Amino acid sequence: MTIEGPEGAGKTTQAARLRATFESAGRPVLLVREPGGTALGEAIRTLLLDDDAQAAPVSPRADALLFNAARAQLVAEQIEPALRSGTTVLCSRFADSTLAYQGAGMGLPDDALRALEQFATGGLRPDLTILLDLPVALGLARKRGIEETRFESGFDEAFHERVRAGFLALAAAEPDRFVTIDAGGTPDAVFAQIIAAVEGRLGRLAGPHVQAFRPGQVGGHEMRIAPPGEPIEPSVRMSR
C-alpha cells in the first residue's frame, strides 16, 4: 500500500497511524518512506530535499534519476524481502510521486518516467494507493516554517497546482488502485476516511480470508484486519 499526495497532506502522520492499526491487530507491517528507508536512500534524500546540500539547482532529469535510484534500493533491500515474508508494506510516497512532481510538475515526458519506474521497481506496483488531496494553498501553509524542503522553498504555487492535478489525473486513470481522500479536515477525520477505504479495499482483495476478522483500535476508530496466522497472500501485497 502506498500513501501519496501533495505537500502538507499529512502522509507521514497518517502512515504512522495506519501502521499502528496493523500492529495492534498483530499483523506484521513495514512502514517505509521515499526517498529513504535505506542508507543509500537517506543519503539521496539529503541531496534531493535539503537546500544546503546543493551547489546548484537539481535538473528535472537528475531529480527523476535520483528518486528512482533511491526507489530501486528500497525495493531490493526492504520492500521485496518484506513481501516475501508475508509482511504488509506501507510506503509513504512511491513511483506516483515521480509522475506527479517530475512529470506533471516539471514537464518530463510520462513515457520516459514510466520506463524508469519499471526499471527501478522491476514492475512492482501497489495493490492500493491512498491519495490524500487538499488545496495547494492549505498544504503549503501547513508546511510553512515546519519541515520545509526545496520543493516548498524553491517552487511556486503554480508548480504545486500542476503536481496536485497530476496526482488527481493518476487517480482518475486507475480507479481500481486509487482511493482519493479529502485531507483538508482534522487528522482524526482524515484517518477515519483512510480506515474506511483500506477496510473496504482489503476486504475485496482478501477474498475468502475476510471471514474471520477481529477489530484493531487506534485513535477511536476500528479497522477489521485478519488475525495472525491467516493466509495473507491474496490480501496485502504489491503485485507485478
Side-chain angles (χ1 to χ4, degrees):
M1 294 174 47
T2 56
I3 300 180
E4 295 279 10
E7 304 301 326
K11 295 175 293 297
T12 300
T13 298
Q14 299 300 343
R17 295 183 73 172
L18 193 54
R19 174 180 62 182
T21 301
F22 278 87
E23 290 176 339
S24 73
R27 280 282 288 270
V29 60
L30 171 69
L31 174 60
V32 293
R33 67 176 182 176
E34 277 210 350
T38 66
L40 176 63
E42 293 297 328
I44 292 174
R45 183 182 185 89
T46 298
L47 289 172
L48 285 169
L49 301 184
D50 187 353
D51 276 327
D52 296 332
Q54 296 134 22
V58 181
S59 75
R61 284 195 178 97
D63 246 353
L65 290 166
L66 286 168
F67 274 109
N68 275 285
R71 182 169 300 131
Q73 188 66 22
L74 183 64
V75 168
E77 185 177 327
Q78 295 283 351
I79 295 177
E80 286 196 321
L83 295 174
R84 285 194 296 269
S85 73
T87 297
T88 297
V89 174
L90 306 176
C91 192
S92 179
R93 295 203 183 278
F94 200 59
D96 294 306
S97 280
T98 299
L99 295 171
Y101 279 80
Q102 284 72 49
M106 298 181 183
L108 292 183
D110 184 80
D111 57 348
L113 293 177
R114 289 187 183 276
L116 274 178
E117 173 191 345
Q118 175 72 24
F119 182 70
T121 67
L124 198 64
R125 290 177 63 76
D127 284 311
L128 172 63
T129 296
I130 300 292
L131 174 59
L132 301 179
D133 178 59
L134 80 171
V136 166
L138 174 58
L140 294 178
R142 287 178 175 179
K143 295 286 294 257
R144 195 164 294 127
I146 305 172
E147 291 187 293
E148 282 189 298
T149 71
R150 72 179 175 93
F151 284 99
E152 290 88 26
S153 62
F155 293 88
D156 60 17
E157 193 165 316
F159 167 82
H160 291 284
E161 293 286 0
R162 294 193 299 274
V163 169
R164 183 192 184 195
F167 275 124
L168 292 173
L170 290 168
E174 292 189 65
D176 289 340
R177 174 165 69 91
F178 277 86
V179 175
T180 302
I181 287 174
D182 179 3
T186 66
D188 283 348
V190 173
F191 189 63
Q193 294 179 74
I194 292 173
I195 290 299
V198 171
E199 181 182 60
R201 189 61 58 95
L202 293 187
R204 182 171 66 81
L205 288 172
H209 305 302
V210 301
Q211 297 174 2
F213 282 110
R214 64 182 174 81
Q217 188 83 25
V218 169
H221 304 291
E222 286 193 344
M223 179 180 181
R224 295 196 314 261
I225 302 176
E230 285 221 356
I232 65 171
E233 286 81 359
S235 57
V236 187
R237 68 167 188 244
M238 297 176 83
S239 54
R240 294 188 189 280

PDB file of all heavy atoms in Angstrom, residues 83 125 232:
ATOM      1  N   LEU A  83       7.756  -8.425   1.603  1.00  0.00           N
ATOM      2  CA  LEU A  83       6.631  -9.070   0.943  1.00  0.00           C
ATOM      3  C   LEU A  83       6.803 -10.588   0.893  1.00  0.00           C
ATOM      4  O   LEU A  83       5.850 -11.344   1.092  1.00  0.00           O
ATOM      5  CB  LEU A  83       6.457  -8.508  -0.469  1.00  0.00           C
ATOM      6  CG  LEU A  83       6.068  -7.032  -0.548  1.00  0.00           C
ATOM      7  CD1 LEU A  83       6.075  -6.556  -1.980  1.00  0.00           C
ATOM      8  CD2 LEU A  83       4.709  -6.797   0.087  1.00  0.00           C
ATOM      9  N   ARG A 125       4.156  -2.923  -8.274  1.00  0.00           N
ATOM     10  CA  ARG A 125       3.160  -1.852  -8.172  1.00  0.00           C
ATOM     11  C   ARG A 125       2.258  -2.104  -6.961  1.00  0.00           C
ATOM     12  O   ARG A 125       2.008  -3.253  -6.600  1.00  0.00           O
ATOM     13  CB  ARG A 125       2.310  -1.777  -9.447  1.00  0.00           C
ATOM     14  CG  ARG A 125       3.100  -1.266 -10.635  1.00  0.00           C
ATOM     15  CD  ARG A 125       2.270  -1.273 -11.910  1.00  0.00           C
ATOM     16  NE  ARG A 125       1.122  -0.374 -11.838  1.00  0.00           N
ATOM     17  CZ  ARG A 125       1.188   0.950 -11.950  1.00  0.00           C
ATOM     18  NH1 ARG A 125       2.362   1.545 -12.118  1.00  0.00           N
ATOM     19  NH2 ARG A 125       0.108   1.688 -11.889  1.00  0.00           N
ATOM     20  N   ILE A 232      -2.225 -14.660   3.962  1.00  0.00           N
ATOM     21  CA  ILE A 232      -2.375 -13.274   3.523  1.00  0.00           C
ATOM     22  C   ILE A 232      -1.935 -13.071   2.084  1.00  0.00           C
ATOM     23  O   ILE A 232      -1.970 -11.960   1.589  1.00  0.00           O
ATOM     24  CB  ILE A 232      -1.580 -12.309   4.423  1.00  0.00           C
ATOM     25  CG1 ILE A 232      -0.085 -12.587   4.296  1.00  0.00           C
ATOM     26  CG2 ILE A 232      -2.036 -12.379   5.842  1.00  0.00           C
ATOM     27  CD1 ILE A 232       0.768 -11.562   4.977  1.00  0.00           C
TER      28      ILE A 232
END
